[in-house]
Amino acid sequence: MQVFLQTLIGGVTFGAVYALVAMGFSIVYRTMGLVNFAHGSVVMIGAYAASTFYLATRLPFAIAIAVAIAVTGLIGLIIERFLRPLENKDFTLMLIGTIGFGAVLEAGAVLIWGATGHAVPSPVPTEPLDLGGIRIPTYSLLVIAVAAAATGLLALFLQRTKRGAAMQAVAMDHQAATAVGIHVGRSNAMAFAIGAGLAALAGSLIGPMLYVNPTMGGTLGIKGFAAAMLGGFGSMPGAIVGGMTFGLLDAFAAGNFQEYSELVTFLVFAVIVMIRPTGVFGETTVNRA
Amino acid sequence: MSSARITISAAALIALAACSAPGQQAGQEADTTGPIKIANINAQSGQLSPLGHWEHKGVKLAIDEANKAGGVGGRQIKLDLFDSQGDPTVGTNLARKISSEGYVAMLGTAESAVTLAMAPILKDAKIPNITSGQSPKLAELKSPFLFLNAPTSVTFDETLAKYLVDDKGYKKIALISNNGAYGAGEHDAFLAALKSRNITAIADEVVTPDQKDFNANLAKIREQGPEVLFIGAEEVQSGLIAKQSRELGLKSLFAGGAPMGTDVYATTAGLGNVEGSIVSSPYLSNEASEPIKEFAAKYKAVYNEDARMHVAKAYDGASILIEALKQTKGAGGQPLADAIRGVKRAGLLGDYAYDESGVGIHATKIGLVKDGKVVPESAS
């Protein structure tokens, strides 16, 4: 039982991060119908930015995260601005464009920070909580709480604000949205900026749990992408469920299948997607090409 | 008809000449007059790039010194760096590239899996390769063109098992290792060393090289209450395992190979978490001897960073190659391989004497991690 609960804690912690990454993928997809393959690299830039401001300028961790979100938000806006001329014209070129941006960001990180990476000390120095032998790292609690708060804020933004409602309208029917005076380009830009901000948040939170380096976005990007698919690409609740499911699947596979854990994780993922190609909360897909 | 045959035969001869191994027919003139082309292949990007960067700096330091001192018989050594990305497929492509472009030898890679993939191509091309990989599988190849800068995991783990079991009397030992080429080599070698002492590991968890969450594996290990946890993984993953072990309340001593003697391991895990870790390595610290101190000072002056085992390992390998090249007057192929095998050198990692498997060093020492640095066990 102890092993089960301990595995659960690890799975939920990483699942919370995957959920944030998946939400970033989903918000861009539901608005533009585009999979942003640069998203994993934006996660990495977010991790670097937050850890650099935290370690080098000694900013409090929360402020370092806020600065990282601003930095990646700007990167999101730049990516969208470059892709905008292709909107409604060449979907494949847009996809390739995002792959290219991913490569550029990785190369940029090597130029700025070097190839070797760095470790980030935990901003929460307190000991893990011990509940009858089950150890819960305090930093894990922080990660889960911040991810939950970010999810709540995003839901409020999308459902309770005019800009959020406009983004929802563009996602549903961009032509009708244009007809009622919604600026589709601006809505797309906002989706990219929010997606990049979520990536930065995920990267900032995972930094002290891992080792920040230029290639860390690869695995996180793939797992976040798989989580988004599992939940239903474009669905925000789906991204959360997908992230958690993927985190737990990963954790339990590691405990039970050892060196075959990744094989098992992706086999189960493939079976779920085969049975339900649109994911758990699958929505009608958007294709604006 | 006959002229067509002649044309085909001529084309075939030209193609054969073009495919010949470097240092043989092709470019023979360049072999004796121009610069001597040495390839340094290591990961310059990707997860394993820190190792590749350190290795390249070590190699470059040795080559630059040799060139400043007049090169090899008046010829300069031209060192070209190629990025293997830590990927065996990229490595094999690079092996083909250097075998067709007149390189007489290759230094690198730091990854056993990449070296294993490249070895058959380099053997066919008769290009001696001095690698920093340490998987026992490299020695099992018995390639006459493959040389190891360091002992294999068998030596590392035999020394470790002797210290833990024979000297300290630990019996409750658990293992966690990854199934990559390095981790699998460490796993098998340490398990064999325990078996030869009639010790059965109380837990044996295998993870994947990309795994980041070890809660499930470590919770299972914790239930067994080991005195020692053997970690068979690279620097970052070893650090993550150590960190998560302490978060789970695991109090065992950590033990492992050279990756656990690095600052990457210590900073990833947190200095407090790795205090007392037991390391088996041929290179324990930059203060271990006068020659090592001199080397570390020289390295610091050039690169403004502390030297470490991967740097020293690569420097040793490059120095041996230079010594061998002096003997062959810059010639490659079999004569160079024979010359490398004949080099006896007191290096930074120990006394080099290559055996028939291409292993140059046959002993490691035990060190302990104190305040994030490794100190020799006897000095602790």
Side-chain angles (χ1 to χ4, degrees):
Chain A
M1 192 60 183
Q2 275 202 351
V3 173
F4 175 83
L5 291 173
Q6 202 65 66
T7 307
L8 196 68
I9 288 158
V12 170
T13 310
F14 277 86
V17 177
Y18 296 153
L20 286 175
V21 181
M23 285 199 295
F25 270 116
S26 282
I27 198 160
V28 171
Y29 183 79
R30 66 181 284 124
T31 315
M32 294 177 73
L34 176 73
V35 179
N36 175 17
F37 284 110
H39 197 59
S41 300
V42 181
V43 173
M44 174 270 296
I45 293 287
Y48 259 120
S51 58
T52 303
F53 287 113
Y54 175 52
L55 295 172
T57 63
R58 309 235 172 240
L59 281 178
F61 192 57
I63 296 175
I65 291 179
V67 177
I69 290 172
V71 169
T72 57
L74 189 65
I75 291 171
L77 290 176
I78 292 167
I79 297 176
E80 191 279 330
R81 201 70 192 85
F82 269 91
L83 297 180
R84 194 180 289 183
L86 298 170
E87 172 84 3
N88 298 324
K89 284 180 191 154
D90 197 325
F91 185 71
T92 315
L93 260 184
M94 285 174 82
L95 275 181
I96 294 168
T98 64
I99 294 170
F101 267 106
V104 168
L105 290 175
E106 203 173 303
V110 174
L111 273 177
I112 298 168
W113 290 287
T116 50
H118 57 240
V120 186
S122 171
V124 187
T126 42
E127 279 282 292
L129 302 178
D130 197 327
L131 303 176
I134 311 299
R135 305 266 292 188
I136 308 170
T138 38
Y139 186 68
S140 291
L141 293 176
L142 178 79
V143 170
I144 295 163
V146 172
T151 308
L153 282 173
L154 185 63
L156 277 177
F157 169 76
L158 290 174
Q159 286 164 14
R160 300 286 169 87
T161 66
K162 273 189 181 175
R163 285 195 186 280
M167 280 176 69
Q168 301 270 53
V170 172
M172 280 185 250
D173 188 337
H174 80 286
Q175 282 174 335
T178 309
V180 295
I182 296 171
H183 193 298
V184 173
R186 204 173 291 148
S187 175
N188 291 345
M190 194 172 290
F192 253 98
I194 293 172
L198 286 167
L201 185 59
S204 310
L205 291 173
I206 202 99
M209 291 159 66
L210 303 180
Y211 184 82
V212 177
N213 68 86
T215 56
M216 67 182 288
T219 317
L220 290 169
I222 288 168
K223 293 197 170 168
F225 179 65
M229 284 192 75
L230 203 63
F233 227 113
S235 159
M236 302 315 279
I240 300 159
V241 170
M244 282 298 171
T245 309
F246 210 85
L248 291 169
L249 193 58
D250 220 13
F252 281 99
N256 293 300
F257 298 99
Q258 305 253 319
E259 66 261 52
Y260 304 108
S261 61
E262 274 186 27
L263 173 71
V264 171
T265 303
F266 280 98
L267 266 180
V268 173
F269 164 76
V271 169
I272 295 173
V273 173
M274 277 166 73
I275 294 167
R276 200 172 162 81
T278 53
V280 181
F281 288 86
E283 292 182 357
T284 311
T285 55
V286 205
N287 189 346
R288 300 248 294 277
Chain B
M1 190 67 181
S2 65
S3 68
R5 277 185 190 158
I6 291 166
T7 310
I8 292 166
S9 304
L13 274 173
I14 291 165
L16 276 172
C19 291
S20 61
Q24 308 282 303
Q25 291 94 338
Q28 200 155 26
E29 197 179 334
D31 274 352
T32 54
T33 56
I36 301 164
K37 289 171 73 176
I38 304 294
N40 178 211
I41 300 184
N42 261 309
Q44 298 299 298
S45 58
Q47 193 174 333
L48 298 163
S49 59
L51 302 183
H53 282 256
W54 293 328
E55 290 251 333
H56 178 61
K57 287 172 184 169
V59 164
K60 195 168 179 310
L61 191 64
I63 302 284
D64 286 349
E65 279 176 2
N67 280 337
K68 267 186 201 162
V72 172
R75 294 167 66 190
Q76 290 287 290
I77 299 170
K78 185 173 179 291
L79 181 72
D80 290 326
L81 174 65
F82 299 93
D83 180 9
S84 68
Q85 299 168 26
D87 182 334
T89 308
V90 177
T92 52
N93 287 336
L94 288 173
R96 286 190 195 95
K97 181 180 169 66
I98 65 166
S99 63
S100 65
E101 291 183 1
Y103 287 87
V104 297
M106 176 194 143
L107 295 163
T109 70
E111 295 86 35
S112 299
V114 182
T115 303
L116 277 167
M118 297 173 80
I121 300 165
L122 296 175
K123 183 183 168 189
D124 288 348
K126 296 189 188 306
I127 296 180
N129 171 203
I130 303 186
T131 177
S132 283
Q134 64 177 63
S135 167
K137 288 198 169 93
L138 293 168
E140 284 164 18
L141 288 178
K142 292 192 190 298
S143 165
F145 291 90
L146 183 61
F147 302 90
L148 276 68
N149 277 331
T152 65
S153 296
V154 173
T155 306
F156 277 86
D157 295 329
E158 175 58 29
T159 309
L160 195 59
K162 182 179 176 300
Y163 174 78
L164 294 170
V165 180
D166 302 347
D167 299 351
K168 294 290 173 184
Y170 294 119
K171 289 194 166 47
K172 294 179 76 179
I173 299 172
L175 276 77
I176 181 164
S177 51
N178 73 37
N179 63 339
Y182 171 75
E186 285 288 296
H187 170 270
D188 295 349
F190 188 67
L191 217 52
L194 288 184
K195 199 177 168 191
S196 70
R197 289 167 172 80
N198 293 320
I199 299 280
T200 307
I202 58 171
D204 181 5
E205 292 289 309
V206 180
V207 300
T208 64
D210 281 337
Q211 198 170 318
K212 309 282 189 270
D213 171 23
F214 309 98
N215 270 272
N217 310 91
L218 293 170
K220 282 159 75 180
I221 288 172
R222 188 180 61 177
E223 286 199 328
Q224 305 302 320
E227 297 166 314
V228 176
L229 176 62
F230 172 84
I231 304 175
E234 290 81 358
E235 288 80 357
V236 171
Q237 197 171 46
S238 293
L240 292 176
I241 289 169
K243 180 170 153 180
Q244 292 180 28
S245 295
R246 291 292 181 251
E247 284 174 353
L248 255 65
L250 202 70
K251 292 188 168 52
S252 325
L253 277 172
F254 299 130
M260 289 172 59
T262 61
D263 55 345
V264 173
Y265 164 71
T267 55
T268 305
L271 298 192
N273 290 333
V274 296
E275 189 70 8
S277 293
I278 299 157
V279 182
S280 171
S281 173
Y283 188 91
L284 291 178
S285 83
N286 288 336
E287 281 82 40
S289 68
E290 275 310 312
I292 289 175
K293 276 185 197 168
E294 279 172 30
F295 164 75
K298 192 166 56 182
Y299 181 81
K300 179 103 181 174
V302 176
Y303 293 108
N304 195 28
E305 66 179 33
D306 289 333
R308 57 196 84 214
M309 190 186 80
H310 278 282
V311 172
K313 213 160 49 156
Y315 182 87
D316 273 348
S319 303
I320 289 167
L321 177 64
I322 292 161
E323 215 170 308
L325 279 169
K326 282 177 181 167
Q327 288 174 29
T328 64
K329 298 183 170 51
Q334 189 68 53
L336 183 59
D338 292 342
I340 292 171
R341 199 173 300 282
V343 170
K344 301 281 181 283
R345 180 185 171 86
L348 300 165
L349 268 67
D351 295 329
Y352 284 86
Y354 288 104
D355 62 16
E356 59 172 17
S357 314
V359 180
I361 292 196
H362 307 274
T364 63
K365 305 173 205 71
I366 293 292
L368 303 178
V369 177
K370 298 270 178 199
D371 300 322
K373 302 257 182 211
V374 180
V375 295
E377 197 277 341
S378 53
S380 62

